[in-house]
Amino acid sequence: MSTLRLPIVYRDFRGKDLLNGHIDFQNANGQETGIVQSALGPKGKPVYAKTGTSSLEL
C-alpha cells in the first residue's frame, strides 16, 4: 500500500470588525466568483484574476 502526503496550510483571517482585524476581510456573508484564474500559477498556487480591479464589497 502506498501513502499520499498532501501539504495543508490552515489560515485564520480576522475581520475588520475585530481588534487588529484586516480591512480586506469584511464581516459579511456572500459569494463571489472569478477571483482566481482557472489554472494554477507556475509555483502551483492560485493566481488572482482581477488585476486592476477590486473584489466585490459584500
Side-chain angles (χ1 to χ4, degrees):
M1 181 164 92
S2 61
T3 301
L4 174 64
R5 296 185 186 270
L6 298 174
I8 297 174
V9 177
Y10 293 99
R11 302 187 193 276
D12 183 16
F13 298 106
R14 296 177 59 84
K16 70 178 181 177
D17 61 320
L18 300 174
L19 180 64
N20 298 320
H22 196 280
I23 195 165
D24 286 343
F25 303 105
Q26 294 85 7
N27 186 24
N29 293 319
Q31 176 181 328
E32 181 179 0
T33 59
I35 298 172
V36 295
Q37 295 178 5
S38 59
L40 294 176
K43 294 184 178 181
K45 295 184 177 184
V47 178
Y48 190 65
K50 295 187 173 188
T51 304
T53 185
S54 63
S55 293
L56 296 172
E57 291 189 27
L58 302 172

